[in-house]
């Protein structure tokens, strides 16, 4: 269930310029800058999910902004990748906290779990996980956020464990997100429909009932987290 994975190593501190908060109402220029940032982030996600090795100039071109506008917000490609990943982590944390709150309110365990999975499949943060793992050095803040998401995942899994088949592990759920994210059939709405279809099939196999034993062990934490260690330069 822990879609984000923390990496080992020595992260370098740093924050994107886009993380600086605004105070008071936005001026005309600030509003335009905010709109540019939304376009840049949407374009960066599309460009880097399709080709993680693409240059940052490809993002500016896709967004229809000048390269200077992009560098005003993000000092480097790594800075932009960190922002995208942090946004994905933030979405994951928010959805997990929402699911835990619903459980505290007494909602049906299976329905909460199914809604949680569906929301994250629709958000498609996993496509960034697959594309960006190992492509940048996480910051200390990202490590902290990833660790928090892992703690929340363990808490959620511990509560809804009663409605899942006994041989399913937390990390099995992580890879289920990746399996569903691999479905890409244009247009975008068709991709969404098919991802929900196959998620429904997978969820049916996760429910607690009589099943044959699963072949092979579940993935381990190192198998998942080591992908975030940047490859050594040759």
């Amino acid at each position: 269930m822990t879609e984000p994975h923390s990496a080992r190593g020595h992260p370098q501190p740093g924050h994107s310029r886009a993380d600086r908060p605004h105070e008071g109402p936005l001026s005309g220029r600030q509003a335009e800058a905010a709109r540019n940032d939304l376009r840049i982030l949407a374009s960066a996600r599309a460009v880097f999910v399709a080709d993680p090795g693409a240059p940052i100039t490809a993002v500016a071109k896709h967004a229809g902004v000048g390269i200077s506008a992009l560098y005003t917000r993000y000092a480097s490609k790594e800075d932009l990748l960190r922002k995208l990943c942090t946004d994905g982590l933030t979405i994951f944390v928010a959805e997990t906290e929402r699911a835990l709150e619903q459980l505290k309110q007494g909602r049906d365990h299976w329905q909460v779990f199914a809604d949680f999975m569906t929301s994250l499949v629709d958000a498609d943060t996993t496509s960034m996980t697959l594309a960006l793992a190992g492509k940048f050095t996480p910051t200390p803040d990202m490590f902290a956020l990833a660790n928090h998401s892992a703690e929340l995942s363990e808490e959620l899994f511990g509560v809804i464990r009663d409605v899942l088949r006994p041989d399913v592990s937390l990390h099995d759920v992580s890879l289920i997100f990746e399996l569903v994210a691999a479905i890409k059939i244009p247009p975008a709405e068709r991709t969404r429909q098919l991802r929900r279809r196959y998620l429904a099939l997978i969820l049916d196999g996760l429910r607690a009932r009589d099943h044959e034993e699963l072949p092979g062990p579940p993935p381990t934490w190192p198998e998942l987290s080591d992908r975030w260690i940047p490859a050594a330069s040759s």
Side-chain angles (χ1 to χ4, degrees):
M1 192 178 304
T2 50
E3 177 182 326
H5 313 295
S6 58
R8 293 191 292 271
H10 301 284
Q12 300 171 350
H15 301 275
S16 71
R17 297 166 187 169
D19 291 331
R20 296 173 184 171
H22 293 289
E23 296 182 0
L26 296 179
S27 67
R29 287 185 178 181
Q30 289 174 328
E32 179 61 25
R35 288 192 292 269
N36 282 345
D37 193 49
L38 290 176
R39 287 199 297 270
I40 288 169
L41 290 174
S43 293
R45 189 180 189 284
V47 167
F48 293 137
V49 165
D51 178 12
I56 197 169
T57 52
V59 176
K61 181 178 180 180
H62 189 282
V65 301
I67 191 66
S68 60
L70 194 154
Y71 278 122
T72 297
R73 304 293 287 170
Y74 304 97
S76 66
K77 177 178 174 178
E78 271 218 352
D79 204 21
L80 186 50
L81 294 179
R82 290 188 188 103
K83 172 61 176 172
L84 291 174
C85 186
T86 298
D87 286 350
L89 281 166
T90 301
I91 291 171
F92 187 91
V93 166
E95 289 297 334
T96 310
E97 289 177 337
R98 185 164 72 94
L100 285 168
E101 181 59 32
Q102 290 173 340
L103 290 170
K104 290 176 183 177
Q105 294 171 0
R107 283 198 59 196
D108 177 75
H109 286 197
W110 177 259
Q111 191 59 55
V112 170
F113 175 63
D115 289 347
F116 166 81
M117 296 289 289
T118 301
S119 294
L120 285 173
V121 163
D122 286 347
D124 195 26
T125 57
T126 303
S127 289
M128 288 188 292
T129 299
L130 295 171
L132 305 185
K135 300 299 190 298
F136 64 92
T137 302
T139 66
D141 285 347
M142 291 180 68
F143 274 103
L145 188 57
N147 288 336
H148 181 50
S149 73
E151 292 169 356
L152 289 172
S153 293
E154 290 177 359
E155 182 181 353
L156 177 60
F157 191 79
V159 177
I160 55 88
R161 193 75 187 79
D162 62 321
V163 295
L164 301 179
R165 54 187 296 163
D167 51 355
V168 171
S169 85
L170 177 64
H171 301 318
D172 280 320
V173 182
S174 298
L175 289 187
I176 287 171
F177 284 123
E178 297 188 13
L179 291 172
V180 177
I183 301 169
K184 296 178 182 179
I185 305 292
E189 179 57 27
R190 184 58 177 149
T191 291
R192 180 177 178 276
Q193 288 174 347
L194 288 175
R195 284 178 176 176
R196 283 197 166 201
R197 174 183 175 84
Y198 287 99
L199 175 63
L201 288 171
I202 291 170
L203 287 175
D204 189 62
L206 291 176
R207 295 195 77 156
R209 61 182 66 166
D210 291 334
H211 289 289
E212 293 184 4
E213 184 177 354
L214 292 171
T220 65
W221 175 247
E223 287 175 322
L224 298 178
S225 63
D226 284 355
R227 296 174 299 171
W228 283 91
I229 302 175
S233 301
S234 55

